[in-house]
């Protein structure tokens, strides 16, 4: 089945007892047993819940994987993956990641004895340089948050072959519609389903998708043992959002392309970063491993912090808020907002400056978005 059909049907057959077309919200914590240990396969909702099962099956199908393991947030998904590792294990990570990912790895997992190597993975040689026989995980975010840098997935998978390192890819910024890391041989795909998968800024969630059954078993064990699961209602909302993922992404792409081109020619804008612009240094790689791009655009204003503030304060359609990937356009200042937990010197080195603005272009009418941005830029 093709993408949109999978989004609407995978894991979502009509309910057996009533024929309900939509997967019900199984708002229950536990399930009756006929005799101790004799049950329908459902015992307790941390372990299994039919609404969550449907979500897991659907997103696994969208990613081209065999198994989905859902979590209460994107960070809960990441935390559970880290429980696959032991003290002394080494992890190679893309240096430009969501601020909360950086914070979790550095402030929570480092003290458990995990060793992190942050590298600019846009050049796979930088990954190769730190790989060693203690490396157990290569953590790639592509495109990155917020600088939209890409990592060559085929090259990383090739490098990991024959080592003991698993490869995980945070695919949140591309969405399953535009990028399928499992097709390149990656072991795990991670999403903050809070973003494009849910798509309506009304629920927080995360998921890991894998092909390998043994890895699924280890993650399933941890999902239950650690317990950071999404509730049935959140699972249902995410699943409902996912049904329209394909058509939403087409529109995000179309609008973002128009916004990126418009801003590229604007005198108050120093530069525009969008992987589908010819000016993006990795545009060729984008075309090789992606099928298009989401609504995420990063711009550097030709101004200073005050100019950034004035721009952000004078928008009416774009909402100044953290998060991304919803139908409504959001905009934010990474240095002060989403990436405040990254130390200033690291931000400086990466290029997360005071004039950097991140846009999550929604699916509103493009004329209104361009007019809004022009109005805001007049105040810079
Ligand atoms: O917020 P949560 O569902 O826990 O997901 C964390 C996360 C993981 N990976 C990426 C690439 C992300 O962007 C995020 C969350 N990001 C934001 C809230 C943000 O505004 O960038």
């Amino acid at each position: 089945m093709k993408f949109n059909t999978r989004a609407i049907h995978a894991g979502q057959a009509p309910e057996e007892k009533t024929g309900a077309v939509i997967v019900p919200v199984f708002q229950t914590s536990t399930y009756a047993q006929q005799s101790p240990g004799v049950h329908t396969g459902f015992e307790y909702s941390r372990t299994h819940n039919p609404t969550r099962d449907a979500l897991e099956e659907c997103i696994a199908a969208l990613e081209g994987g065999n198994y989905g393991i859902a979590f209460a947030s994107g960070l809960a998904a990441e935390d559970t993956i880290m429980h696959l590792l032991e003290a002394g294990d080494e992890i190679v990570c893309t240096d430009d990641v969501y601020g909360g990912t950086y914070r979790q790895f550095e402030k929570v997992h480092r003290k458990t004895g995990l060793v992190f190597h942050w590298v600019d993975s846009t050049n796979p040689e930088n990954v190769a340089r730190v790989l060693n026989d203690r490396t157990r995980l290569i953590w790639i975010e592509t495109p990155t948050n917020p600088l939209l840098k890409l990592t060559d997935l085929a090259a990383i998978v090739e490098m990991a072959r024959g080592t003991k390192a698993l490869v995980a890819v945070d695919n949140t910024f591309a969405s399953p519609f535009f990028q399928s890391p499992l097709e390149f041989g990656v072991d795990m795909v991670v999403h903050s389903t809070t973003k494009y998968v849910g798509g309506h800024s009304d629920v927080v969630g995360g998921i890991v998708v894998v092909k390998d059954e043994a890895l699924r078993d280890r993650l399933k064990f941890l999902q239950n043992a650690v317990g950071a699961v999404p509730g049935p209602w959140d699972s249902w909302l995410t699943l409902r959002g996912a049904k329209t993922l394909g058509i939403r992404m087409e529109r995000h792409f179309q609008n973002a392309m128009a916004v990126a081109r418009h801003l590229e020619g604007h005198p108050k804008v120093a530069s525009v970063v969008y992987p589908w612009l010819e000016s993006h240094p990795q545009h060729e790689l984008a075309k090789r491993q992606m099928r298009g791009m989401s609504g995420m655009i990063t711009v550097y204003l030709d101004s200073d912090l005050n100019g950034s503030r004035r721009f952000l304060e004078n928008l009416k359609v774009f909402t100044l808020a953290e998060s991304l990937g919803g139908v409504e356009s959001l905009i934010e200042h990474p240095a002060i907002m989403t990436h405040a937990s990254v130390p200033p010197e690291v931000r400086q080195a990466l290029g997360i400056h005071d004039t950097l603005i991140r846009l999550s272009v929604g699916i509103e009418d493009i004329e209104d978005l361009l007019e809004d941005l022009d109005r805001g830029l007049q105040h810079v």
Side-chain angles (χ1 to χ4, degrees):
M1 280 193 285
K2 289 187 173 295
F3 192 90
N4 291 304
T5 315
R6 276 179 273 152
I8 293 165
H9 295 289
Q12 301 165 79
E15 196 258 335
E16 274 177 26
K17 190 167 176 198
T18 61
V21 167
I22 297 302
V23 174
V25 184
F26 282 90
Q27 192 73 43
T28 185
S29 61
T30 191
Y31 307 83
Q33 307 201 4
Q34 271 172 277
S35 176
V38 181
H39 51 72
T40 59
F42 293 95
E43 291 166 273
Y44 187 61
S45 277
R46 176 167 23 78
T47 322
H48 277 294
N49 174 279
T51 316
R52 190 178 88 211
D53 287 358
L55 172 67
E56 293 177 336
E57 195 176 330
C58 177
I59 309 305
L62 295 184
E63 275 294 353
N66 296 325
Y67 310 103
I69 305 103
F71 295 93
S73 68
L75 287 184
E78 297 183 16
D79 179 63
T80 303
I81 288 175
M82 289 299 149
H83 284 288
L84 292 168
L85 308 176
E86 288 173 16
D89 287 353
E90 299 196 8
I91 301 106
V92 185
C93 309
T94 300
D95 56 3
D96 180 46
V97 293
Y98 167 54
T101 299
Y102 182 88
R103 180 178 56 202
Q104 185 187 103
F105 291 2
E106 280 293 315
K107 299 273 164 65
V108 180
H109 296 301
R110 182 182 282 285
K111 61 173 195 251
T112 68
L114 299 182
V115 179
F116 294 92
H117 299 276
W118 299 95
V119 301
D120 178 357
S121 55
T122 57
N123 179 359
E125 285 307 311
N126 293 333
V127 176
R129 212 165 290 135
V130 293
L131 268 186
N132 64 62
D133 59 8
R134 292 180 303 278
T135 311
R136 292 291 178 277
L137 182 65
I138 302 176
W139 182 276
I140 302 294
E141 190 175 298
T142 182
T144 60
N145 179 1
L147 296 169
L148 305 177
K149 300 197 288 189
L150 307 186
T151 295
D152 186 332
L153 294 175
I156 297 295
V157 167
E158 186 55 37
M159 208 173 274
R161 216 185 295 279
T163 76
K164 290 182 183 150
L166 294 169
V167 181
V169 173
D170 186 333
N171 201 26
T172 302
F173 265 41
S175 91
F177 189 69
F178 286 132
Q179 181 168 267
S180 304
L182 294 172
E183 280 178 10
F184 293 86
V186 154
D187 301 288
M188 290 176 268
V189 172
V190 186
H191 282 280
S192 167
T193 54
T194 316
K195 313 299 188 276
Y196 286 106
V197 173
H200 295 75
S201 305
D202 51 11
V203 59
V204 171
I207 200 159
V208 181
V209 178
V210 302
K211 278 190 163 170
D212 181 66
E213 193 178 347
L215 184 54
R216 188 280 304 255
D217 290 347
R218 291 168 70 197
L219 288 165
K220 250 332 211 193
F221 167 79
L222 288 169
Q223 180 194 38
N224 185 47
V226 176
V229 293
W233 181 233
D234 284 0
S235 300
W236 188 90
L237 269 177
T238 306
L239 185 59
R240 181 166 81 162
K243 285 176 190 282
T244 55
L245 181 61
I247 53 168
R248 283 188 284 109
M249 293 318 293
E250 283 171 3
R251 176 66 171 243
H252 281 294
F253 185 24
Q254 190 188 335
N255 276 358
M257 203 64 215
V259 167
R261 288 211 192 286
H262 183 76
L263 293 179
E264 237 190 353
H266 200 288
K268 301 278 178 67
V269 175
S271 62
V272 178
V273 185
Y274 188 66
W276 233 259
L277 288 178
E278 296 75 14
S279 59
H280 191 282
Q282 295 172 293
H283 180 56
E284 289 309 313
L285 175 60
K287 288 195 291 187
R288 226 173 33 244
Q289 71 184 18
M290 302 174 75
R291 295 177 288 273
M293 177 59 193
S294 68
M296 300 311 296
I297 302 177
T298 296
V299 300
Y300 287 96
L301 297 181
D302 190 10
S303 185
D304 54 16
L305 179 58
N306 278 334
S308 297
R309 283 194 187 278
R310 279 195 294 276
F311 172 53
L312 295 169
E313 286 163 3
N314 281 285
L315 296 167
K316 293 201 167 78
V317 181
F318 279 82
T319 302
L320 176 60
E322 299 197 8
S323 203
L324 58 115
V327 290
E328 68 293 307
S329 291
L330 299 182
I331 196 159
E332 65 112 12
H333 189 270
I336 297 177
M337 297 168 69
T338 51
H339 291 69
S341 51
V342 177
E345 62 282 6
V346 177
R347 285 202 307 263
Q348 280 307 313
L350 289 170
I352 305 177
H353 303 314
D354 285 343
T355 55
L356 181 76
I357 307 287
R358 191 190 76 185
L359 293 82
S360 170
V361 178
I363 66 170
E364 299 96 335
D365 292 302
I366 187 64
E367 296 81 1
D368 296 322
L369 297 180
L370 298 182
E371 192 189 309
D372 195 41
L373 292 168
D374 283 348
R375 178 177 34 243
L377 286 168
Q378 276 172 17
H379 292 84
V380 173

